[in-house]
Amino acid sequence: MKKILSVSLILACCFSAVAGNKNILPYKDASLPVEERVEDLLSRMTLDEKIAQLNQYSLGSNDNVNNNGEMVKVLPPEIGSLLYTADDAVSRNAMQKRAMEETRLGIPILFGYDTVHGYRTIYPIPLAQGASWNPDLAGEACRVAAQESYDVGIDWTFSPMVDVARDPRWGRVAEGYGEDPYLTSVFGASAVKAYQGDDMSEPGNIAACLKHYVGYGASEAGRDYVYTEISRQSLWSTYLPPFEAGVKAGAATLMSSFNDISGTPGSANHYTMTEILKEMWGHDGFVVGDWHAVKQLVTQGMAPDDATAVEYAINAGLDMDMTDNLYMPHLASLVESGRVSVDRIDDAVRRILRIKFRLGLFEHPYVEEKPENERILLPESLDVARRLAEETFVLLKNEEDVLPLKPGQKVALIGPMAKSQKDLLGSWHGRGLAEDVVSIFDGLSEVLTEAPAYAAGCGFEGDDRSGFDEAVKTASEADVVVLCLGERYSWSGENASRSTIALPEIQEDLLKAVKAAGKPVVVLLSNGRALDLTRISPLADAVLEIWQPGIMGGPAVASVLTGKTNPSGRLTVTFPYTTGQIPIYYCQRHPARDGSQGRYQDIPSTPMYEFGYGLSYTSYDYGTLTVSADSFTVNDTVTARVAVTNAGDMDGKETVQWYVCDPYSTITRPVKELKHFEKKLIPAGESCTFEFEIDPMRDLSYVNWKGERILEPGDYYIIVKDQKVCITLE
Ligand code: NOJ
């Protein structure tokens, strides 16, 4: 049978070549439309060649401790994709050469990698990027990441992560943009466009991957890899919107998630992968499973054996198997026994080939081997990383204007984070190196006339308080203390859940001890999640959240502390009062009783710092909120406007956050929902007008549990800061 097949294939090849009157096979002809090339190539492939395209193996030593599993010894050159963990183009090109020259059809391999917040020029973690409220600037950073990745031979990044996450115990909150579906959608779409550019085949562009599809952020109790209980309504209103926005932005691929979505794991979920993504949204790229997600269908208690896991996954719509090495050995017999159809295989192969063609891999399979100084840590890349870091910092408290530091002040720099380099990188730091990072100490030393006096005080955790005395002495000899606390880079990210979001006691004790020296204390926090600051905030005169800012963290901190840059970050995750308030997020639905009922007896029921919160060194006065019409029809657009004046004496960037509220609706709706935001520089003393063009269907409607968009007549509120106006849909 196989022989007959290959003879007919050879004949088909010759025929097309002659029929096209060219010396080139149609699928190799770049002048033909992608779809024609895909169909031509597919028609020439054997079942084994097709199945090979549906696998991703791993090339190079693995640098993620959670990606454990068997490494493949022999890499077949017919393979669809490789997870490429080496760091130069040489081995990549060598492997590609085998695919191009030693295989029958010469189909290039797709090289994927986790370039999450930078490849070598590591910029702030995604959670921090969200806090910048500047998706364009975050996009600039993604461009740098794409260029550095492309130059080393990466065609495809497993980013952006657009999981809405509302439990800071879950370590992966660091990898997303926060708790809000709209803000996550905007940043996700911006990242997709930045990675892919207008045309993925242009040099420097790489394919994006929206992950983890879907609902991974709902991990129960903040533990990783566990069950998620997600109603169809929450799926549609909370977890799907960022994926839909990313698909609309053109995302080439999606990664199916590990989590069990109310009884059906994301990687075996026909409803999400096929019915929603491919049928309703018309996505024509492909879905890759997360690392070992197919095998895990067995662990999750769904498939009794590997073959059944493969059957469930591929039939649900998972096109490429990441490093499980299960599609390769099982698919042919599943096809033979009729458990998987050839049509499904063809559909999956088409999707993968389409992306390879769109990336221009058939025309440009190899990457130019450039010297490091032409491709990584370029001055303009460092500049983007610094500017982005500066905009992500959130000033949470600033009593008596202790910040910015005053010229000539003697600064004591204390704490375990002060000289740390690696921790500022955060999790998933690609090929970033600790030695690339400018520490807070080095950054400040650069700009202060007198280098800060330094004492570590203690480690990040443990009981060794022997450094406290020196820290207190250093504090007492200074005019102001900058105390650098926070989380190690490995305390967030994958498989990094924590049962409490408070910092270890020793760090809180260091603050107490240093505070007793009687000097103003600025607490600088570097971390990958919302923290419980109940015992920290009251003792601090100022608190600056710097997240995990990447390699330019030190200079960015120096610029903000000294007032060269006015802090403009705003939280995109609620900081609970304590861990016990979780889940707490701004867009909760109305409770049945309000006032004093339904409250905690032992702690406040309001958060410590809410979504959207952040201070500045200047103050902004908001004028009266106006709307262009009080009532409207579904086809009208209403414009809401507010003028904002910078009433202080320092230039600053203000983000106006526009929320809507539908007070009464057939299904209950959140107390308010972010629908638009804009960040602008307002010079001191000047005013700027901000606008929100309200498209009723887009901005006021809701999506029901079936994914239908519903707009109901009645009143809606448009909310900005503490003002709201009512508009009525006739
Ligand atoms: C597992 C993670 O969940 C995913 O985010 C990542 O892209 C893959 N491993 C590949 O490293």
Side-chain angles (χ1 to χ4, degrees):
M1 173 64 183
K2 257 196 175 154
K3 240 186 196 158
I4 299 173
L5 201 68
S6 30
V7 169
S8 67
L9 276 170
I10 291 163
L11 285 177
C13 296
C14 299
F15 179 73
S16 309
V18 174
N21 202 18
K22 286 182 176 176
N23 293 329
I24 172 172
L25 297 172
Y27 78 89
K28 293 191 173 171
D29 183 352
S31 70
L32 292 178
V34 163
E35 289 310 302
E36 228 172 281
R37 301 177 74 189
V38 168
E39 290 310 318
D40 177 66
L41 178 51
L42 190 68
S43 72
R44 297 168 195 278
M45 294 170 77
T46 63
L47 181 62
D48 287 346
E49 284 165 341
K50 289 176 185 175
I51 290 172
Q53 285 300 308
L54 309 185
N55 294 267
Q56 179 180 67
Y57 284 3
S58 187
L59 175 66
S61 62
N62 203 300
D63 51 5
N64 175 356
V65 288
N66 301 300
N67 285 348
N68 46 17
E70 198 192 330
M71 294 280 288
V72 192
K73 305 281 178 305
V74 183
L75 291 165
E78 291 84 8
I79 200 85
S81 174
L82 282 170
L83 210 162
Y84 174 60
T85 49
D87 60 1
D88 70 284
V90 180
S91 58
R92 187 262 189 207
N93 281 345
M95 188 65 204
Q96 190 71 298
K97 195 167 189 300
R98 288 187 55 211
M100 299 309 291
E101 294 178 7
E102 293 173 27
T103 66
R104 195 175 71 86
L105 294 163
I107 305 176
I109 294 171
L110 183 63
F111 291 83
Y113 183 68
D114 286 288
T115 295
V116 170
H117 53 113
Y119 175 75
R120 178 71 184 266
T121 301
I122 303 302
Y123 48 87
I125 55 168
L127 184 61
Q129 292 172 41
S132 75
W133 294 67
N134 191 341
D136 293 339
L137 184 52
E140 278 186 51
C142 293
R143 285 298 310 146
V144 171
Q147 170 261 311
E148 288 189 353
S149 304
Y150 177 90
D151 280 343
V152 82
I154 293 160
D155 312 304
W156 176 31
T157 176
F158 307 128
S159 168
M161 176 177 121
V162 291
D163 291 314
V164 170
R166 295 174 173 173
D167 190 333
R169 292 172 297 180
W170 190 52
R172 304 200 80 169
V173 289
E175 297 176 51
Y177 302 104
E179 71 186 36
D180 184 60
Y182 174 74
L183 184 128
T184 303
S185 302
V186 174
F187 273 85
S190 173
V192 167
K193 289 185 188 149
Y195 288 136
Q196 298 189 172
D198 294 332
D199 174 355
M200 284 202 297
S201 69
E202 290 292 320
N205 293 345
I206 57 176
C209 181
L210 300 167
K211 70 186 188 185
H212 306 83
Y213 191 64
V214 55
Y216 189 23
S219 280
E220 264 187 355
R223 286 181 52 221
D224 216 348
Y225 314 122
V226 298
Y227 181 76
T228 56
E229 180 56 56
I230 306 175
S231 69
R232 283 274 163 109
Q233 183 57 54
S234 303
L235 187 67
W236 277 102
S237 46
T238 304
Y239 298 103
L240 285 172
F243 288 94
E244 187 174 11
V247 167
K248 279 198 186 125
T253 71
L254 285 88
M255 184 184 293
S256 70
S257 56
F258 290 134
N259 54 300
D260 179 343
I261 310 169
S262 297
T264 310
S267 296
N269 204 306
H270 190 266
Y271 179 60
T272 56
M273 287 190 288
T274 299
E275 290 165 56
I276 297 177
L277 175 68
K278 295 174 180 174
E279 293 171 4
M280 287 175 78
W281 297 346
H283 186 248
D284 67 1
F286 68 91
V287 178
V288 64
D290 200 348
W291 184 281
H292 275 210
V294 178
K295 178 95 184 158
Q296 286 166 191
L297 296 176
V298 177
T299 331
Q300 285 171 308
M302 190 182 203
D305 51 53
D306 290 351
T308 314
V310 171
E311 176 190 351
Y312 288 170
I314 188 138
N315 286 342
L318 194 161
D319 304 300
M320 183 185 279
D321 177 16
M322 179 188 278
T323 63
D324 269 310
N325 312 333
L326 289 185
Y327 272 22
M328 196 78 115
H330 291 288
L331 269 179
S333 53
L334 286 168
V335 169
E336 205 168 312
S337 62
R339 288 163 69 185
V340 174
S341 70
V342 173
D343 279 357
R344 174 75 266 271
I345 301 278
D346 283 353
D347 173 55
V349 176
R350 253 186 212 106
R351 291 169 177 279
I352 291 162
L353 294 179
R354 195 173 277 140
I355 299 307
K356 292 187 176 185
F357 281 117
R358 285 185 188 157
L359 277 164
L361 282 177
F362 285 81
E363 288 66 53
H364 307 286
Y366 305 112
V367 62
E368 190 189 330
E369 290 159 22
K370 291 185 186 168
E372 282 200 352
N373 63 357
E374 287 178 22
R375 59 181 172 83
I376 53 166
L377 304 172
L378 305 178
E380 55 275 26
S381 307
L382 299 181
D383 185 57
V384 174
R386 181 189 49 77
R387 284 189 290 121
L388 179 56
E390 286 171 7
E391 290 210 18
T392 66
F393 298 170
V394 185
L395 184 61
L396 296 174
K397 182 174 180 184
N398 195 16
E399 296 287 301
E400 311 287 334
D401 289 341
V402 61
L403 286 178
L405 301 174
K406 316 294 171 282
Q409 266 183 329
K410 212 170 163 216
V411 177
L413 193 65
I414 296 173
M417 195 62 80
K419 282 195 172 178
S420 173
Q421 291 174 287
K422 186 143 191 181
D423 295 301
L424 299 190
L425 289 173
S427 66
W428 289 108
H429 49 254
R431 286 278 151 185
L433 301 178
E435 70 212 42
D436 296 339
V437 179
V438 183
S439 69
I440 297 167
F441 178 85
D442 286 342
L444 260 185
S445 302
E446 269 297 297
V447 299
L448 295 179
T449 31
E450 192 186 329
Y454 165 75
C458 64
F460 285 93
E461 55 190 335
D463 292 321
D464 184 359
R465 287 166 170 75
S466 59
F468 275 28
D469 287 349
E470 195 204 337
V472 174
K473 184 169 175 288
T474 309
S476 57
E477 288 165 0
D479 298 321
V480 58
V481 178
V482 176
L483 184 63
C484 305
L485 306 178
E487 298 187 314
R488 306 223 70 155
Y489 76 95
S490 54
W491 291 4
S492 56
E494 188 181 347
N495 198 12
S497 304
R498 294 181 81 78
S499 70
T500 166
I501 57 165
L503 289 178
E505 213 180 326
I506 191 161
Q507 295 196 41
E508 296 184 347
D509 287 352
L510 178 64
L511 168 59
K512 270 187 230 151
V514 164
K515 176 73 183 172
K519 301 298 165 80
V521 179
V522 175
V523 171
L524 218 62
L525 295 166
S526 173
N527 42 281
R529 53 164 56 79
L531 293 176
D532 165 352
L533 301 176
T534 332
R535 287 169 301 280
I536 289 185
S537 211
L539 286 182
D541 297 276
V543 180
L544 183 69
E545 173 59 72
I546 67 162
W547 313 104
Q548 286 154 332
I551 64 173
M552 294 304 279
V557 164
S559 185
V560 170
L561 287 185
T562 57
K564 189 165 172 235
T565 301
N566 195 344
S568 62
R570 303 283 182 267
L571 297 180
T572 63
V573 278
T574 302
F575 273 45
Y577 192 81
T578 67
T579 305
Q581 283 188 334
I582 297 169
I584 185 167
Y585 50 95
Y586 86 93
C587 53
Q588 285 177 330
R589 286 178 158 79
H590 298 268
R593 294 187 183 185
D594 50 21
S596 62
Q597 295 199 291
R599 306 271 151 171
Y600 292 111
Q601 294 186 333
D602 53 340
I603 54 164
S605 293
T606 46
M608 177 70 102
Y609 297 114
E610 63 192 9
F611 177 90
Y613 174 81
L615 303 170
S616 156
Y617 294 156
T618 187
S619 62
Y620 301 103
D621 289 346
Y622 279 57
T624 305
L625 168 62
T626 61
V627 282
S628 59
D630 298 334
S631 62
F632 60 100
T633 69
V634 64
N635 298 317
D636 296 332
T637 303
V638 180
T639 306
R641 285 193 185 87
V642 70
V644 180
T645 304
N646 180 343
D649 52 12
M650 191 184 281
D651 296 351
K653 288 186 178 173
E654 172 67 336
T655 301
V656 172
Q657 304 166 26
W658 297 91
Y659 296 88
V660 305
C661 164
D662 181 358
Y664 302 101
S665 164
T666 308
I667 65 156
T668 61
R669 296 190 54 184
V671 289
K672 60 177 190 174
E673 297 166 69
L674 183 73
K675 288 292 172 182
H676 180 59
F677 59 87
E678 197 182 357
K679 186 174 194 175
K680 286 189 196 178
L681 173 71
I682 313 180
E686 293 191 16
S687 298
C688 233
T689 298
F690 290 75
E691 288 188 353
F692 173 23
E693 290 259 313
I694 303 158
D695 171 330
M697 198 40 125
R698 184 193 61 197
D699 301 318
L700 304 175
S701 64
Y702 65 86
V703 178
N704 70 10
W705 67 276
K706 291 186 262 184
E708 297 159 343
R709 196 157 272 288
I710 316 276
L711 180 64
E712 297 180 347
D715 291 348
Y716 292 89
Y717 290 111
I718 307 302
I719 304 168
V720 159
K721 260 215 149 140
D722 45 8
Q723 303 183 60
K724 68 176 175 182
V725 289
C726 181
I727 54 173
T728 309
L729 174 62
E730 304 294 345

